[in-house]
Amino acid sequence: MSRLPVAAARPAPTTALPAVLQADQLPVHVAVIMDGNGRWARQRGLPRVMGHRQGVEALKRTLRLCSDWGIGALTAYAFSTENWSRPGEEVSFLMTLFEQVLARELEALQKEQVRIRFLGDLAPLPAKLQALITEATERSAVNSGIHFNVCTNYGSRQELVQAARALAAQVQRGELDPEAIDENALAAQLHTAGQPDPDLLIRTSGEQRLSNFLLWQLAYAELHVTDVLWPDFDATALTQALVDFQGRQRRFGGVQEEI
Ligand code: FPP
């Protein structure tokens, strides 16, 4: 049985769309691999971490654009399970940056009705960051605006292993018949449970890899790779990605367009 995408509501745009975009053909859920912060900084003779600071600005810009243009969900890859292997100072800088941004932006997120969630293994994160994550998640849970997923200490293979373990434990307890395990049962154990799969994946800075990001959820996503470095990602770059998406014929393994 093929797994059809979960239907999701497409909110109406709140600001005028660029003329080249059509509201009813926009993706419902956009995922981004925000790559190129280090290169952006190096090109300017700056320390790598300055690229991450500008990366935060690009993420805020992208979230606001998606929200204004009626995209229902944005999922961003902020820190992978592999990113711990970066130099200690860069990891510490990123953790502190996440804390500062969350503390600083929480009121704005509330005002803009953003529902924020953090996907990944959050237990190894610093205690202060975990507390801010809990507060932001709880306070924004009933918000009616865009769903914003921040993948933090996220690794897709780890997520799938965790899901397999959870299902195995249910079988062991006699709560689940192995024959009843289907795609929906597995999807229900992922961090993204209950959310529609991304329709569009954008990766910046030219690399053509998935880097252990949403391997299950991106099964039918359209891919858009741009040479733009993440800190430079702006309305023009997002529009290009959305125009590219609009031009794709989505067949989900069939022979004719299904959406
Ligand atoms: C990849 O660029 C970027 C990251 C690993 C970090 C991304 C994090 C942010 C933009 C901050 C997000 C903040 C919040 C609060 C969610 P890279 O360092 O791999 O760049 P390079 O490939 O050019 O070296």
Side-chain angles (χ1 to χ4, degrees):
M1 187 194 80
S2 75
R3 181 167 175 268
L4 291 174
V6 180
R10 191 197 307 276
T14 56
T15 59
L17 284 175
V20 286
L21 297 179
Q22 288 163 282
D24 62 348
Q25 285 180 32
L26 291 179
V28 170
H29 184 173
V30 173
V32 281
I33 299 179
M34 309 181 286
D35 201 9
N37 292 351
R39 274 162 282 176
W40 183 93
R42 196 168 59 237
Q43 285 175 3
R44 287 160 178 77
L46 298 169
R48 287 178 55 78
V49 293
M50 294 309 290
H52 296 318
R53 276 205 193 287
Q54 284 306 309
V56 172
E57 297 309 310
L59 183 56
K60 283 163 56 182
R61 194 158 59 224
T62 305
L63 178 64
R64 191 157 293 128
L65 286 166
C66 287
S67 173
D68 288 350
W69 291 354
I71 289 166
L74 175 69
T75 297
Y77 205 4
F79 193 87
S80 74
T81 46
E82 290 74 31
N83 285 154
W84 295 108
S85 66
R86 291 186 175 212
E89 303 122 57
E90 184 173 341
V91 170
S92 303
F93 180 91
L94 279 168
M95 294 299 147
T96 307
L97 183 66
F98 294 163
E99 285 170 18
Q100 288 171 347
V101 172
L102 258 185
R104 195 176 67 214
E105 301 295 335
L106 186 52
E107 290 312 319
L109 291 171
Q110 285 299 98
K111 204 161 146 230
E112 296 181 30
Q113 285 293 300
V114 174
R115 196 195 71 180
I116 190 167
R117 288 203 259 195
F118 292 82
L119 313 186
D121 179 9
L122 306 180
L125 300 176
K128 187 172 168 203
L129 178 55
Q130 286 189 51
L132 284 162
I133 285 175
T134 303
E135 184 189 354
T137 308
E138 287 177 357
R139 282 187 62 191
S140 72
V142 294
N143 287 351
S144 57
I146 189 168
H147 293 187
F148 179 34
N149 298 314
V150 184
C151 293
T152 313
N153 194 26
Y154 175 86
S156 193
R157 286 187 170 184
Q158 191 184 54
E159 177 186 38
L160 288 163
V161 166
Q162 194 51 49
R165 273 198 204 130
L167 292 173
Q170 288 177 29
V171 170
Q172 195 176 40
R173 291 195 299 268
E175 296 165 5
L176 181 65
D177 177 352
E179 290 302 315
I181 298 176
D182 59 9
E183 295 186 13
N184 291 330
L186 197 136
Q189 298 301 328
L190 303 178
H191 296 302
T192 47
Q195 303 195 49
D197 289 337
D199 314 287
L200 169 65
L201 170 71
I202 300 170
R203 179 160 189 156
T204 56
S205 91
E207 313 288 351
Q208 305 194 18
R209 288 191 287 274
L210 288 180
S211 299
N212 202 17
F213 187 48
L214 301 174
L215 301 179
W216 173 280
Q217 298 88 336
L218 291 172
Y220 291 103
E222 297 296 325
L223 310 184
H224 175 85
V225 175
T226 171
D227 286 334
V228 171
L229 303 179
W230 177 251
D232 290 328
F233 196 81
D234 59 6
T236 304
L238 180 60
T239 302
Q240 277 167 3
L242 297 173
V243 166
D244 190 12
F245 177 82
Q246 284 183 173
R248 305 282 178 88
Q249 268 226 342
R250 305 193 72 202
R251 293 193 296 272
F252 301 103
V255 290
Q256 64 187 31
E257 203 172 339
E258 292 184 25
I259 60 167

